């Protein structure tokens, strides 16, 4: 088959174009997208700082002290015993006893604390010397029993002298309290002698009070004839049993 020259040239041109296009397509490299840029990170938040001082750090009771505090990066600041305060400030306080002032500062970066201790010198009252109550022997040497006549509770002159001497000793020893026991001899009924013993004790108490001893320092008790100092049946023995006896009321 004979091809026309014009047709032949057109076919060759088309074939060449197709070959060139194929070569160009085969040699093209696919473009890769670059990785995404990392996200921007926020800068770290600084933690708070705090300090607190006291001037002076030691005072006497009733005096004042000035607290001074400083903080950074804090939005809430508190001091124990005072409450919430400004981030920076001063305050005058008068603590009644030694106190530890504890400051807490809080911020976006966390929290911190600071402390200062103020010593308060509280005066101590002097301890009075202990009252010397003396010995039992010294007491009875100066505070003698009072004796009575038969069936009587009136003080005799010797009884009045004993009461005056006893009051003088008790005035010099104001912390001593006294109990007075009323006694009788064994004659008469128990009921009668209980009443008589009480009257004798009260007569001795009245003599002390009249001599200046406070009534509240003296109490009385009656033993009647239940407790005998002497058991013989004679006047000398009966006289020993008719008495108002003084003892330290402990």
């Amino acid at each position: 088959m004979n091809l026309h020259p014009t047709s032949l040239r057109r076919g060759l041109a088309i074939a060449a174009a197709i070959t060139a296009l194929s070569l160009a397509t085969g040699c093209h490299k696919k473009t890769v997208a670059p990785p995404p840029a990392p996200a921007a990170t926020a800068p770290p938040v600084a933690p708070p700082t705090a300090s607190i001082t006291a001037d002076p750090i030691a005072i006497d009771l009733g005096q004042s002290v000035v607290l001074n505090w400083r903080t950074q990066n804090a939005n809430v600041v508190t001091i124990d015993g005072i409450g919430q305060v400004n981030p920076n400030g001063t305050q005058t306080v008068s603590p009644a006893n030694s106190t530890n002032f504890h400051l807490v500062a809080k911020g976006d970066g966390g929290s911190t604390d600071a402390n200062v201790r103020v010593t308060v010198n509280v005066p101590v009252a002097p301890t009075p010397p202990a009252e010397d109550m003396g010995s039992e022997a010294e007491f009875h040497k100066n505070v003698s029993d009072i004796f009575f006549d038969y069936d009587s509770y009136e003080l005799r002159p010797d009884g009045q002298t004993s009461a005056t001497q006893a009051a003088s000793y008790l005035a010099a020893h104001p912390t001593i309290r006294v109990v007075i026991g009323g006694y009788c001899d064994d004659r008469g009924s128990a009921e009668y002698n209980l009443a008589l013993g009480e009257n004798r004790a009260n007569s001795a108490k009245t003599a002390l009070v009249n001599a200046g001893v406070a009534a509240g320092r003296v109490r009385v008790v009656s033993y009647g004839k239940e407790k005998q100092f002497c058991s013989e049946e004679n006047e000398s023995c009966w006289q020993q049993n008719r008495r108002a006896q003084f003892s330290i009321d402990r």
Side-chain angles (χ1 to χ4, degrees):
M1 180 179 64
N2 294 323
L3 296 175
H4 191 276
T6 303
S7 299
L8 181 59
R9 286 193 299 269
R10 184 180 296 117
L12 291 174
I14 292 172
I18 292 173
T19 300
L21 180 62
S22 297
L23 291 173
T25 301
C27 294
H28 180 70
K29 292 183 180 180
K30 186 177 182 180
T31 303
V32 179
T41 58
V45 179
T49 61
S51 64
I52 183 171
T53 60
D55 184 27
I57 61 172
I59 60 173
D60 293 331
L61 182 63
Q63 294 180 334
S64 299
V65 62
V66 177
L67 299 178
N68 187 316
W69 63 92
R70 293 290 180 267
T71 69
Q72 290 184 337
N73 308 318
N75 45 42
V76 177
V77 179
T78 58
I79 300 176
D80 290 355
I82 297 177
Q84 186 167 341
V85 296
N86 292 327
N88 300 293
T90 61
Q91 183 162 332
T92 301
V93 295
S94 298
N97 45 50
S98 296
T99 304
N100 183 58
F101 291 95
H102 179 216
L103 179 148
V104 177
K106 298 180 180 179
D108 296 335
S111 66
T112 188
D113 64 351
N115 297 273
V116 65
R117 181 170 180 80
V118 175
T119 300
V120 178
N121 300 314
V122 180
V124 179
T127 303
E131 173 66 27
D132 181 12
M133 297 182 66
S135 64
E136 288 283 350
E138 182 184 0
F139 174 83
H140 288 296
K141 179 181 178 181
N142 292 276
V143 182
S144 302
D145 294 349
I146 294 175
F147 295 91
F148 295 87
D149 290 334
Y150 173 68
D151 198 26
S152 173
Y153 55 86
E154 293 185 4
L155 263 65
R156 303 184 311 216
D158 61 321
Q160 188 62 57
T161 300
S162 295
T164 302
Q165 182 179 359
S168 177
Y169 179 81
L170 294 174
H173 299 77
T175 62
I176 294 180
R177 301 173 66 88
V178 178
V179 57
I180 304 175
Y183 296 85
C184 305
D185 61 37
D186 61 356
R187 293 173 291 180
S189 68
E191 293 78 7
Y192 178 82
N193 282 303
L194 277 175
L196 181 58
E198 184 175 0
N199 287 335
R200 286 172 174 169
N202 278 320
S203 292
K205 175 180 178 178
T206 299
L208 289 182
V209 172
N210 289 341
V213 178
R217 295 175 60 190
V218 185
R219 68 182 180 94
V220 300
V221 60
S222 176
Y223 297 102
K225 65 176 184 178
E226 298 305 316
K227 294 184 178 182
Q228 299 288 295
F229 294 86
C230 181
S231 60
E232 296 179 8
E233 294 294 320
N234 55 56
E235 179 57 31
S236 176
C237 185
W238 289 330
Q239 176 64 97
Q240 294 299 311
N241 293 328
R242 298 193 302 261
R243 73 170 72 190
Q245 184 186 49
F246 295 87
S247 301
I248 297 177
D249 194 5
R250 299 188 184 278

